[in-house]
Structures are given as structure tokens and as C-alpha cells.
Amino acid sequence: MPVTDEAIEKIKAMIVSGELAPGARLPREADLAERLGLSRNSLREAVKALSLIRVLDVRQGDGTYVTSLDPDLLLDAMSFVVDFHRDDTVLEFFEVRRILEPAATAMAALTMTDEQIAGLRAVLAELDPEPDVEALVANDLEFHRRVAAGSGNTVLCSLIDGLSGPTTRARIWRGLTQEGAVARTIEQHGAICDAIAARQPELARSWATIHVAGVEEWLRSAL
């Protein structure tokens, strides 16, 4: 195993075992290197790598700390990786969205507060009756972000948020080229919101599936 990878694994083991808890400060570099049987250089490289994926927080002049390890923080690194997707993989991102978003929408129908539902309706009301495609997609992203957050599951919300980037261009493309796409999107958003407000999880799940699958099927035929 390369020495940097070995160093990463040893720090990871300290965190997983609970020896280093969220928010804990790491021992001084020299002390930790000696304790783990590592060179200071390999330890330094490991710390850099773990800070990039938000496991460690390096504070100049203060020390290195374990982050909160919250799912949204750790999964933020996934968004960075996802940004390197190729256009020929966009359908695979839609397939994953079709699996995750209906589940999140069903959960939201059970867990969203009345205040959150009112906020969801407010997002829909912000949209002009005949919006341009850019405005529609921006509204679409905010709508889905709120539904995912309303599921009450931070891991699920972070995963869905990380998948939104690669599918944005396809949603714009569809809105520009498919007749009735804008009106269909607005209608389906309203149906999803109504099902959530009515506390009908299976109906909410069905509408979310129809909504994501509609874009996916259009893209399959367009490619």
C-alpha cells in the first residue's frame, strides 16, 4: 500500500473507532506521525487528501480538526466528482434520480410541516404563467431541493442534490425543443405538491416517478 494511502487508512481508523470524534483536534503532526509509525510527509499528504473530502478541517495557525462529519458536508465531495460526468452518462443520472426522488417525495408527504408545504407552494407561485426555460429550470431545481429536504433524510437530500447538476442541461434542452414541456412540468409540480399537502405518500411517489421518467424517456428518444 502506498505510504499516503496507509496514512489515510490509519487516520480513518482513529475516526471510525471514535478515538477522534467529530470536532476533535488532531495531535501535533510530529506526535501523530511518531504514534502511527508514519513519516511527517506522508501524514501531511494524508491530511491534505482528507481535507479535500471534508473529513478534516485544516485551520492555519490553530491546528487540524475532524469536521462535523455531517452527511451533507461529506457528500458535498460527490458533487465535485459528479461535475466530471460525460454527456453519454446523463441517462444513468436520470435513472438514479428516478429511483431516489419518488422515495424522497413519498417521505416528504409524511414529514413536511405545514410551513414547509406553504413554502413549496410559494416557490410554484413565484413562476410566471409563461416562464422562459431558464426561469422554469431554476424554479424546478428549487422545488426538488425543497421536496428532498422535506423528506427529513439528510443523506437522501444530499444525494439528490448532487445529482441535479448533470441533468440540468437536459431539462433546459427538453424545455426548448419539446412542445408542451413547460406546461407539463408546471402541471406535474402542482400535482406533486398537492399530493404532499394531502399527506398521500403513494400518490406523491407516483407523480414524482412520472415527472422524472418523462424527461428520461424524452432524452432516450432524443439522443
Side-chain angles (χ1 to χ4, degrees), residues 34-86:
E34 181 179 2
R35 176 179 168 185
L36 297 179
L38 301 166
S39 70
R40 293 179 67 171
N41 185 59
S42 62
L43 177 61
R44 202 172 294 130
E45 290 302 314
V47 167
K48 285 181 183 177
L50 290 170
S51 67
L52 284 174
I53 59 172
R54 308 294 186 89
V55 173
L56 297 179
D57 178 20
V58 180
R59 304 176 190 175
Q60 294 298 326
D62 186 17
T64 299
Y65 292 80
V66 180
T67 67
S68 65
L69 302 179
D70 287 339
D72 56 342
L73 183 66
L74 297 178
L75 289 171
D76 187 53
M78 185 188 76
S79 299
F80 178 80
V81 175
V82 164
D83 285 340
F84 290 101
H85 77 282
R86 304 184 313 273

Side-chain angles (χ1 to χ4, degrees), residues 103-113 116-117 120 142-154 156-157 160 196 199:
T105 306
M107 292 166 68
L110 298 174
T111 61
M112 283 185 81
T113 66
Q116 287 176 310
I117 293 172
L120 194 62
E142 178 62 12
F143 177 82
H144 287 284
R145 186 193 68 77
R146 289 189 179 229
V147 171
S151 72
N153 187 309
T154 56
L156 184 56
C157 180
I160 291 172
I196 291 173
R199 308 298 184 187

